[in-house]
Amino acid sequence: MDVKVIKDTAVKHKRLLIVLLFVAVIIFPLVSSGMAIRVGSNIMIYSILTMGAMLICGYTGMLNQGMAAFYGVGAYASALLSVNFDLPFIVCFLAAGLITAGVGLLIAIPCLRVETDFLSLITIAFANIFTAILNNWTSLTRGPAGVPGIPPAELFGFKFNTPVRNFYLMFGVVVIVYVILHNLIKSRIGRALQAVRDNDIGASSVGINVNNNKVLAFAIGTFCAGIAGSLMAHFIGFVGPTNFTFDESLLVLQMCIIGGLGSMPGAIVGAAFFVIMPEIIRPLAVYRVGVGGVIMILCMLFRPQGIMGSRAFAGKGGFQEKIRSFLRRRHQQPVA
Amino acid sequence: MNPELEYFLNQLINGLSLGSMYAMIAVGYSMVYSLLYLINFAHGDLYVFGTFIALMFCTSGMPIVAAMILAGFVAGLIGMTIERTVYRPVRGASRMVPMISALGAAFVLRTIAQVTWGTEPKSFPALISRGAGFTLGEFRIQYQQILVLAVAAIAMLVLTWVMEKTKLGKATQCIMQDITTASLMGIPVNKIIPLIYGLGGFFGVVGGVLFSSYYNIISIDMGMWGTIKAWAAAMLGGVGSFYGSFFGGILFGLAETFAGAYISTGFKEAIGYVVIVIILLFKPTGLFGKKRAKKV
């Protein structure tokens, strides 16, 4: 069967597919074991993180290589607020998002004078500073020992103290974030962001305030990272400096790009891809990283726009397009 | 001599030699980066891979300079292969796409290095005997430190010469300006770009060997870390200028060393980056960068 047929059928029965997916995710924890639920929860957390990164990277075209640091700011903010001040979960959760967005604002505002690569250098610098603070400002962050004993999430007296309950909590947050971001990118702001991404001079010439839009996207994206961090902190019950390394930032970027730039569902697909793939190739032991690398290369070569990405990012279209045009040409040849 | 001053001068020398190693790596990186503005994550793992090959040649009895040059060529070939297989098919795509495929290539190289040479850091033979040097008044200068600085300066001069005086360099400058127009004018784009990647790999390995023999250590983790530092140094100096990345690297090394000596060792890397960010805030094109007009 041709790929196109599958795609057309999927688009035709979109609503049915979404309902089926919902039901599958809701049933999933009831029928699976601890390990699978943990993987599922990881997918949920990374989905939130990647959706935030997608807004920054895929919709506004800014390269953020410090996403893990923002994730860490959220996690630490939530952890310290709940451990030191005994604040309820919902307060910590929102505060984590707001604090992270504030940090994001502080970082985004000065560096938007210049081009994208400078922003990504600043995010790397920020990630370095953040790690240094985590390790050295012991009176606040307890240094390399991390912050243990974070209470589980609690909403209206209901404690999310088992992995299954946490899974549902995260799923709920993923759905809310998805709906909000999906509506945002369909709105006037979203169209402005995409115009900025495609051509910022053109965007400013039609009256879009490029800098304000970029800062807004950065703040919303980092807000997502902050709430993802908060969920992670309350789920694991411990935060330490080793969770928020540069590799983690790169992982989020990989999820974005393999999932497909400029596609919110792509963010979730990418997150699922990069959480599930390492689990599948785990038996390869030392060869794991390399095989993961080969898979990444092949993905990019066959589909440069990523799994769900828009064709605009693909350039010449990679091998997939080459094969397709080859087949088309063969079809057109007259039968002798 | 005043002990304060002596301490300062010692730190200055340490900073200079650390900086010249950054400069060495940054010069190679800058060349590849300024060509297509691609954040080349494979550069770091490529030079670590090449340095491991140099170590392998050394242990099989080859003199270290010959091993370095041979390993440089091997790394150059690998660099060309990476360009051909991983970058060229996605060159027309959004610039984040080759970044991820480069990262994939870096993972592959890292795994091969890990399987072949193990994950443990290894010691590396010295280019010239460690610790040898002369004393100037109160403090010591090691020959090694002079060597590193000299090699970095020579690399910078050679590359500047290649870029400005030779046909290859002129073709490269054309490609930097506009790849489509360059190919229309008969510049063999698909030959020049692999060559530049090869050169980048070669100079990367020279830098890697200098670094490893100075600190007597080589480990797989140096790759990613080196990429980021080289990139930061190249940005600081100004993209597309080899003088820039040379002085950018040295400034970066000095900033880190002085931050470690006078402020706090825990924050030294962070302060290095802060210095770069502050300089770039006031001079966004970097120290020696040319202002690029934005095309509409």
Side-chain angles (χ1 to χ4, degrees), chain A residues 198-223:
Chain A
D198 293 336
N199 189 336
D200 52 350
I201 296 175
S204 67
S205 75
V206 292
I208 294 168
N209 189 332
V210 173
N211 274 5
N212 281 3
N213 276 302
K214 277 185 173 177
V215 169
L216 182 69
F218 203 83
I220 297 173
T222 47
F223 182 88

Side-chain angles (χ1 to χ4, degrees), chain A residues 268-306:
Chain A
I268 298 174
V269 171
F273 182 87
F274 273 102
V275 174
I276 295 171
M277 184 201 53
E279 297 294 335
I280 293 174
I281 60 174
R282 192 176 288 280
L284 297 172
V286 280
Y287 298 99
R288 192 175 72 243
V289 180
V291 173
V294 172
I295 293 175
M296 269 160 64
I297 294 175
L298 290 180
C299 274
M300 289 285 83
L301 292 190
F302 275 96
R303 245 184 109 76
Q305 70 266 48

Side-chain angles (χ1 to χ4, degrees), chain A residues 57 61-63 65 110-111 113-118 120-122 124-125 128-129 132-133 136-137 199-202 246-247 250 253-254 257-258 261 286-294 296-297 300-301 304-305 312-316 318-319 322, chain B residues 33 37 39 41 85-90 92-108 110-111 114-115 224 228 231-232 235-236 264-267 269-271 273-274 276-278 280-285 292 294-296:
Chain A
C57 177
M62 298 183 284
L63 193 53
Q65 298 192 50
C111 45
R113 295 172 57 210
V114 276
E115 288 170 46
T116 32
D117 280 3
F118 183 36
S120 69
L121 184 62
I122 292 208
I124 289 178
N128 262 285
I129 296 163
I133 287 176
N136 295 299
W137 191 353
N199 189 336
D200 52 350
I201 296 175
F246 183 63
D247 289 341
L250 282 184
L253 215 52
Q254 290 165 28
I257 293 167
I258 295 266
L261 287 173
V286 280
Y287 298 99
R288 192 175 72 243
V289 180
V291 173
V294 172
M296 269 160 64
I297 294 175
M300 289 285 83
L301 292 190
Q305 70 266 48
F313 293 100
K316 283 181 194 149
F319 289 160
K322 263 187 194 162
Chain B
Y33 178 68
Y37 284 82
I39 298 174
F41 280 121
T85 51
V86 173
Y87 297 136
R88 201 183 297 175
V90 289
S94 156
R95 59 189 282 274
M96 292 178 194
V97 172
M99 196 176 87
I100 292 302
S101 55
L103 194 61
F107 286 164
V108 173
R110 196 181 303 168
T111 307
Q114 201 174 335
V115 171
M224 190 52 80
I228 300 303
W231 182 51
M235 292 274 282
L236 173 63
S264 145
T265 42
F267 283 97
E269 293 200 8
I271 291 171
Y273 283 108
V274 170
I276 288 191
V277 167
I278 290 173
L280 284 180
L281 274 182
F282 289 100
K283 200 160 178 342
T285 50
R292 271 159 56 96
K294 251 190 173 174
K295 292 169 200 155
V296 183

Side-chain angles (χ1 to χ4, degrees), chain B residues 9-239:
Chain B
L9 286 174
N10 270 323
Q11 294 306 326
L12 184 71
I13 288 184
N14 286 341
L16 275 179
S17 48
L18 179 67
S20 44
M21 275 172 290
Y22 287 164
M24 189 69 222
I25 301 169
V27 165
Y29 186 84
S30 162
M31 187 157 59
V32 175
Y33 178 68
S34 57
L35 191 62
L36 297 175
Y37 284 82
L38 160 67
I39 298 174
N40 184 3
F41 280 121
H43 187 79
D45 285 280
L46 179 60
Y47 87 72
V48 170
F49 195 81
T51 314
F52 266 113
I53 291 176
L55 178 68
M56 197 175 72
F57 286 147
C58 264
T59 43
S60 68
M62 203 181 273
I64 182 162
V65 176
M68 178 173 84
I69 290 171
L70 205 59
F73 280 115
V74 174
L77 278 180
I78 299 173
M80 287 183 191
T81 317
I82 291 177
E83 196 276 337
R84 182 68 191 89
T85 51
V86 173
Y87 297 136
R88 201 183 297 175
V90 289
R91 197 190 284 155
S94 156
R95 59 189 282 274
M96 292 178 194
V97 172
M99 196 176 87
I100 292 302
S101 55
L103 194 61
F107 286 164
V108 173
L109 279 179
R110 196 181 303 168
T111 307
I112 297 173
Q114 201 174 335
V115 171
T116 324
W117 295 292
T119 44
E120 296 290 305
K122 288 185 172 181
S123 71
F124 199 87
L127 264 174
I128 49 174
S129 67
R130 285 191 191 93
F134 57 89
T135 47
L136 203 72
E138 295 284 325
F139 64 99
R140 278 181 70 74
I141 298 177
Q142 295 175 19
Y143 289 131
Q144 269 195 44
Q145 292 167 329
I146 297 174
L147 178 81
V148 171
L149 194 59
V151 172
I154 290 169
M156 183 234 343
L157 290 175
V158 166
L159 281 176
T160 313
W161 177 77
V162 167
M163 218 32 109
E164 274 166 18
K165 299 286 180 215
T166 64
K167 226 173 167 180
L168 169 69
K170 284 177 186 159
T172 313
Q173 288 186 8
C174 291
I175 294 175
M176 283 176 190
Q177 283 187 2
D178 190 328
I179 185 163
T180 322
T181 316
S183 71
L184 286 175
M185 295 294 159
I187 291 169
V189 171
N190 283 342
K191 284 188 187 135
I192 304 283
I193 294 178
L195 257 180
I196 295 297
Y197 274 85
L199 269 177
F202 181 84
F203 280 97
V205 170
V206 175
V209 168
L210 284 177
F211 189 91
S212 299
S213 77
Y214 186 84
Y215 286 108
N216 189 17
I217 191 168
I218 172 161
S219 90
I220 293 174
D221 307 328
M222 280 161 46
M224 190 52 80
W225 165 94
T227 311
I228 300 303
K229 294 219 161 158
W231 182 51
M235 292 274 282
L236 173 63
V239 176

